[in-house]
Amino acid sequence: MESATAAAPAELESFNPATGERLGAVPVIAPEAVQSVVDDVAELQPFWAQLPTLDRAAYMRRAAQAIVDEVEELARLLSREQGKPISESYSMELLPTIDGLHWIADNGPDLLADEDVPMRQIFVRQKSAWLSYEPLGVVGVIAPWNYPWSIPFGEVAMALMCGNGVVLKPAPLTPLIGQRIQSVFERAGVPEGLVRCVHGGGAVGQALVESSVAKVFFTGSVETGRSVAASCAEQVKGCVLELGGKDPQIVLADAQLPNAVSGCLWAGFANAGQTCSGIERVYVAREVAAEFIDDVVAGAKALRVGDPLDPETEIGPMVSEAQFDLVRELVDDAVASGAELLCGGPLDVSSMPGRFFAPAVLTGVTPEMRIMREEIFGPVVPIVTVDSEEEAIQLANDSRFGLGASVWTCDRDKGARISRRLEAGMVWLNDHMFSHGLMQCAWGGVKESGVGRAHSKFGFYECVNVKQVTWDPARARNFWWHPYDSSMPKALDAAATLLYGRDTQKLGALRRGAIPLARLAARMLRR
């Protein structure tokens, strides 16, 4: 029995990165208590799994309405807790999840319905087969702080649509918005306790990975992702990992330059550059490089840095002092190694003690510099001038990461051809990273950028057991059953040629195989 004087659970406090204001706190769970939460969710999950998919879809639409009903409050909370400009709280977090819930509801029932598998081979014509998509049980979701709403919300919603329960661990820097994900589904009428949040640091995340959850969705660093993958492998269960990125932008000589400049400014500096798939390297054709660089620098200088709640702010604070220090360290290292900082850097914002970094543009960078090898995760765009399309492709692929990439050209065929050579999970032609906001588009990377896919039909498949089921009317025996005799290999030899051989071989196969094939057919009709 617990002592009456046992200490109350510790709290995890949340602070506004721009002002330092305390926003609230959530209770922290002990790592050893995580399994009990998973067990509680597992008790409810079978009931939820028995609901028809159309009923589960109705809950997804109700969740969308629940977000609509409090969208202004949620947007303000996102901007206050994470630091992104209020416009981005709407455009990059909330509206995509509302739309995504409707896509899940509209398409989930069809994607999860039993799927016929044609059985056209002559020797199995009597059979029928289908794929059944069944819930895994309880899914664990470990969320990042940079998109603390849209990234985990899509994974939670898709897991629920597939009939699973979910245990969500929000990032320690953004616990309040993570907790609101649970409350939105509860407001939508999803059984209370089917979605549960567990708060804490890395030990809590590790406990969730090591628990009996059937699968883990993790978004975060490569190093932690390796640990998650290793733990899941030890338990022989799956994981989906969305890890770091070092996305290249390739700007060809025939690109619509104003469009490429605007795309660079947005994809490089949105969310203060704290985006896995943000532009972190630019390779621009020499013919247009000078104009492109001048315009990017002018655009970067014009971006307004300040209070994320101000509708005119375009760059908010770095989420933490540690993240600010890392970005400054990488920029300083590049400059010390010979790069030129054309604009940007640490910036004091009046009346706000937060850590702000004005959009920075670097030239003169080289492939061996840390800033070209490591993930920056800040508002910094290094630009390299290239002499050919081939050089751009080689440099773009010269990375341990492979999340996204973009090609900017007026020639669609050329863009498509280059896209096939880029080592990335996603390639955008004349745009960058926007498709995370579209649930129908697959999301994920290659190399050290991750394993598996979120969103799209492939995201559904990550949340289910794909079960193969077959039916045989039992009117005949299978020819490959016992007993074997000398006629069987002769019959199969002839059958291989008759079914798949050259036309010139088939008459001979029929002559030598007619009797063995007849004996095989007769044996199939025996009971």
Side-chain angles (χ1 to χ4, degrees):
M1 185 164 60
E2 293 185 5
S3 168
T5 60
E11 287 188 327
L12 179 62
E13 294 183 301
S14 175
F15 296 91
N16 185 325
T19 66
E21 167 197 8
R22 184 184 184 276
L23 301 175
V26 295
V28 172
I29 190 172
E32 57 269 21
V34 169
Q35 181 61 57
S36 66
V37 174
V38 175
D39 292 340
D40 290 343
V41 176
E43 288 187 13
L44 289 170
Q45 183 269 332
F47 161 76
W48 176 254
Q50 290 174 6
L51 291 179
T53 53
L54 288 173
D55 289 353
R56 298 202 293 265
Y59 284 101
M60 298 301 107
R61 295 188 179 93
R62 291 176 194 166
Q65 186 60 51
I67 300 174
V68 171
D69 292 343
E70 53 186 31
V71 68
E72 181 179 359
E73 178 190 350
L74 288 169
R76 288 181 61 83
L77 177 58
L78 268 162
S79 292
R80 292 173 69 207
E81 187 172 48
Q82 196 274 336
K84 58 172 49 72
I86 189 76
S87 293
E88 292 176 4
S89 291
Y90 282 101
S91 65
M92 302 180 79
E93 297 263 23
L94 294 166
L95 293 185
T97 57
I98 296 169
D99 179 76
L101 283 164
H102 281 280
W103 185 85
I104 289 170
D106 292 344
N107 294 276
D110 288 338
L111 287 170
L112 297 172
D114 288 352
E115 180 181 345
D116 286 340
V117 177
M119 305 285 274
R120 297 193 177 98
Q121 295 89 339
I122 190 170
F123 43 85
V124 290
R125 284 284 178 86
Q126 78 279 12
K127 301 179 187 292
S128 58
W130 61 95
L131 297 174
S132 177
Y133 301 107
E134 300 178 356
L136 296 172
V138 180
V139 170
V141 175
I142 301 177
W145 51 258
N146 61 330
Y147 289 89
W149 179 268
S150 61
I151 289 178
F153 201 105
E155 294 166 353
V156 172
M158 196 163 278
L160 289 173
M161 184 64 214
C162 291
N164 301 292
V166 181
V167 178
L168 166 64
K169 184 202 170 296
L173 288 172
T174 51
L176 302 183
I177 200 68
Q179 190 65 43
R180 293 297 287 268
I181 294 175
Q182 175 181 325
S183 67
V184 159
F185 283 109
E186 290 174 351
R187 284 192 57 207
V190 170
E192 187 172 345
L194 189 67
V195 178
R196 291 279 300 277
C197 280
V198 291
H199 294 281
V204 172
Q206 186 65 25
L208 181 58
V209 172
E210 294 175 355
S211 73
S212 60
V213 293
K215 196 163 197 173
V216 176
F217 284 77
F218 171 81
T219 305
S221 71
V222 174
E223 291 70 24
T224 306
R226 283 197 184 99
S227 175
V228 170
S231 294
C232 289
E234 288 177 358
Q235 299 173 77
V236 197
K237 66 185 180 188
C239 60
V240 175
L241 307 177
E242 202 260 78
L243 308 177
K246 194 72 183 167
D247 283 15
Q249 176 190 29
I250 297 176
V251 182
L252 300 180
D254 67 342
Q256 285 282 359
L257 216 57
N259 193 52
V261 169
S262 296
C264 177
L265 292 170
W266 179 75
F269 300 134
N271 197 29
Q274 299 167 124
T275 304
C276 297
S277 62
I279 290 174
E280 291 215 357
R281 298 175 289 152
V282 177
Y283 302 106
V284 57
R286 187 169 299 279
E287 297 92 320
V288 295
E291 183 181 354
F292 177 85
I293 292 169
D294 287 346
D295 290 350
V296 169
V297 170
K301 289 179 177 178
L303 293 174
R304 290 164 292 204
V305 182
D307 181 359
L309 292 177
D310 183 342
E312 295 188 352
T313 292
E314 289 148 332
I315 308 293
M318 304 302 294
V319 74
S320 66
E321 184 170 0
Q323 192 62 34
F324 172 88
D325 289 342
L326 174 59
V327 174
R328 181 171 59 180
E329 176 186 330
L330 288 172
V331 171
D332 290 347
D333 177 79
V335 172
S337 301
E340 183 179 1
L341 180 62
L342 302 182
C343 65
L347 180 69
D348 291 329
V349 174
S350 177
S351 74
M352 288 197 164
R355 297 293 193 170
F356 292 84
F357 204 98
V361 179
L362 288 165
T363 56
V365 292
T366 55
E368 68 274 5
M369 290 181 183
R370 287 180 59 198
I371 205 159
M372 298 300 283
R373 315 303 300 177
E374 301 176 21
E375 191 173 26
I376 306 170
F377 231 57
V380 181
V381 171
I383 302 178
V384 176
T385 300
V386 296
D387 292 317
S388 68
E389 170 190 309
E390 186 66 28
E391 182 185 5
I393 295 170
Q394 290 180 3
L395 289 171
N397 288 337
D398 181 23
S399 175
R400 63 192 179 102
F401 297 107
L403 189 54
S406 60
V407 182
W408 302 72
T409 174
C410 288
D411 186 332
R412 179 172 177 169
D413 290 341
K414 182 194 295 184
R417 172 173 52 77
I418 293 173
S419 75
R420 288 189 286 272
R421 297 186 60 195
L422 292 174
E423 297 167 357
M426 300 157 291
V427 178
W428 304 278
L429 305 180
N430 296 324
D431 210 328
H432 199 98
M433 83 178 180
F434 76 97
S435 60
H436 188 270
L438 301 174
M439 192 65 72
Q440 66 267 34
C441 295
W443 188 267
V446 299
K447 299 195 281 191
E448 291 190 14
S449 284
V451 175
R453 293 295 180 268
H455 299 185
S456 77
K457 64 180 182 181
F458 300 107
F460 274 102
Y461 299 156
E462 297 282 6
C463 294
V464 295
N465 172 35
V466 181
K467 181 180 286 184
Q468 175 71 60
V469 185
T470 66
W471 159 259
D472 189 302
R475 290 192 290 266
R477 295 161 51 91
N478 290 317
F479 71 80
W480 54 86
W481 285 359
H482 299 129
Y484 302 152
D485 59 27
S486 61
S487 67
M488 186 172 180
K490 295 177 182 178
L492 297 182
D493 181 282
T497 303
L498 288 168
L499 292 172
Y500 307 112
R502 298 187 186 92
D503 289 343
T504 55
Q505 298 174 304
K506 292 183 178 181
L507 182 58
L510 181 61
R511 286 172 177 164
R512 69 175 182 272
I515 293 176
L517 284 168
R519 288 175 179 170
L520 198 64
R523 190 169 64 199
M524 290 175 63
L525 297 175
R526 297 190 201 125
R527 291 290 180 180

